[in-house]
Amino acid sequence: MILLTGATGMAGSHIAKEFVEQREPVRVLVRDRAKAKRLENLPTVEIVEGDMSNRNSLALALDGVDRALMISAPLMNMVETQGSFIDACKAAGVRHVIKFSGLDARPDTRFPLGRMHKEAEEYLEASGLVWTHLRPTGFMQEYLREAPSIIDDGALYLPLGDVGLNPIDLTDVAKVAFLLLRDGGHEGERLHLTGPEALTMAEVADRISSAIGRRVRYVRVSPEQRRQTLIAHGVPTEIADALDEQVKERLKGGLESEVDLSTHRLFNVKPTTFLEFAQRNAETFGGASAAS
């Protein structure tokens, strides 16, 4: 049995969708069944309620599970939540845990969530369980959050200077995660995933422009302006602060500015370009539907 966690979140929902489309049996763990309505009544999906941070709630979800994908919300208690889940997996006899991590999972990053990913990775490695770390870079889907300013102002307001970044389409990540969970293997490996291009924000804006048929310009803002905008839109201060540190890390270049398609090749997954992603989501960005 394969178990997915995080199946109602941004990344996990893409992976769950891949299982559904491939008609592969899967069990999904959710805290609130009401949020998984789109998965109800599907013959290949079993929904179980539970809380990753509460070991006592996980017995049913983990019963008979051989491989589990571990994703939890990007919150400041990530290490505790995932540590509790790892302990529960070990107690239940789960053999292989695949951690959905991040490309910036390292102890010396300024980005707090990157440090937490690394801590959780190390806890899993020391658990005695078989492990694999799936380490995607930032997601193309994150740019969909900029749609309101693109529609209203024809502008992409970000504090990223002229740095090039390598965002990946979550559909690519989902295909790799599906194959890894279905087929197993790659034990003890750290699988890096990036998009096929390192793009400046001006180049991102150009590709959105091409997709929607009208000009979108990149407008540089300061990190503090961006932080205040996030807080004004309801992002908790501690998360806004963490994202501010991520910006500072990204401005230095590094792994998120380098293209690495080795995992795409390993799993025979064709990498999606940002233009292809923007064309697929043209309507969200304020253009005509790209149904064709």
Side-chain angles (χ1 to χ4, degrees):
M1 173 61 70
I2 296 167
L3 176 70
L4 297 185
T5 63
T8 60
M10 183 194 295
S13 63
H14 280 78
I15 299 168
K17 182 173 182 284
E18 187 71 17
F19 270 87
V20 171
E21 291 179 350
Q22 298 296 331
R23 299 181 182 178
E24 187 73 19
V26 69
R27 180 183 295 162
V28 298
L29 171 68
V30 298
R31 282 189 299 174
D32 182 357
R33 194 181 189 100
K35 293 183 178 179
K37 286 183 178 179
R38 61 184 180 77
L39 298 174
E40 291 277 9
N41 302 318
L42 295 175
T44 57
V45 179
E46 177 189 359
I47 301 172
V48 179
E49 284 188 301
D51 185 341
M52 290 178 68
S53 64
N54 180 0
R55 286 183 58 181
N56 295 329
S57 72
L58 297 174
L60 182 60
L62 293 173
D63 182 41
V65 169
D66 181 56
R67 284 189 291 277
L69 180 70
M70 181 173 69
I71 310 178
S72 64
L75 301 175
M76 306 310 284
N77 65 347
M78 178 197 296
V79 177
E80 293 77 12
T81 296
Q82 295 194 359
S84 176
F85 182 76
I86 292 165
D87 292 343
C89 285
K90 187 172 183 178
V94 175
R95 193 183 72 84
H96 187 180
V97 173
I98 293 128
K99 171 167 166 51
F100 195 97
S101 190
L103 193 62
D104 198 29
R106 52 192 176 89
D108 57 341
T109 180
R110 297 183 61 148
F111 184 36
L113 294 177
R115 293 195 301 271
M116 287 188 280
H117 274 310
K118 182 60 177 174
E119 286 184 52
E121 285 184 354
E122 291 175 346
Y123 191 86
L124 175 57
E125 290 169 20
S127 70
L129 294 168
V130 173
W131 58 268
T132 306
H133 301 324
L134 197 59
R135 287 181 168 179
T137 188
F139 310 136
M140 293 181 186
Q141 279 72 10
E142 293 171 10
Y143 292 88
L144 297 175
R145 297 169 179 162
E146 312 304 320
S149 69
I150 290 170
I151 294 169
D152 294 341
D153 303 336
L156 184 64
Y157 298 106
L158 290 171
L160 290 165
D162 293 322
V163 70
L165 296 176
N166 57 10
I168 188 168
D169 187 351
L170 273 170
T171 59
D172 292 7
V173 180
K175 290 174 183 176
V176 170
F178 167 77
L179 293 169
L180 179 58
L181 284 159
R182 185 192 67 180
D183 300 338
H186 305 284
E187 299 173 358
E189 295 183 14
R190 300 170 180 87
L191 301 173
H192 289 192
L193 280 159
T194 80
E197 307 163 286
L199 302 172
T200 66
M201 294 307 100
E203 290 170 329
V204 167
D206 285 345
R207 281 155 177 75
I208 296 172
S209 300
S210 296
I212 68 176
R214 62 183 177 84
R215 182 171 178 261
V216 176
R217 69 194 193 282
Y218 168 48
V219 178
R220 298 187 200 183
V221 297
S222 72
E224 181 58 23
Q225 285 175 302
R226 177 65 172 177
R227 177 180 173 277
Q228 292 298 332
T229 298
L230 291 173
I231 292 171
H233 284 82
V235 175
T237 300
E238 62 183 6
I239 299 299
D241 289 343
L243 294 173
D244 185 51
E245 293 298 324
Q246 183 184 45
V247 165
K248 294 172 184 174
E249 197 67 51
R250 284 176 167 173
L251 286 170
K252 295 190 295 186
L255 288 176
E256 289 195 61
S257 295
E258 301 171 7
V259 171
D260 181 353
L261 299 180
S262 58
T263 300
H264 280 82
R265 291 191 291 269
L266 187 63
F267 288 87
N268 197 29
V269 171
K270 180 181 178 294
T272 303
T273 67
F274 196 94
L275 179 57
E276 291 168 335
F277 167 79
Q279 289 170 335
R280 197 177 74 234
N281 292 280
E283 196 168 8
T284 300
F285 284 124
S289 174
S292 60

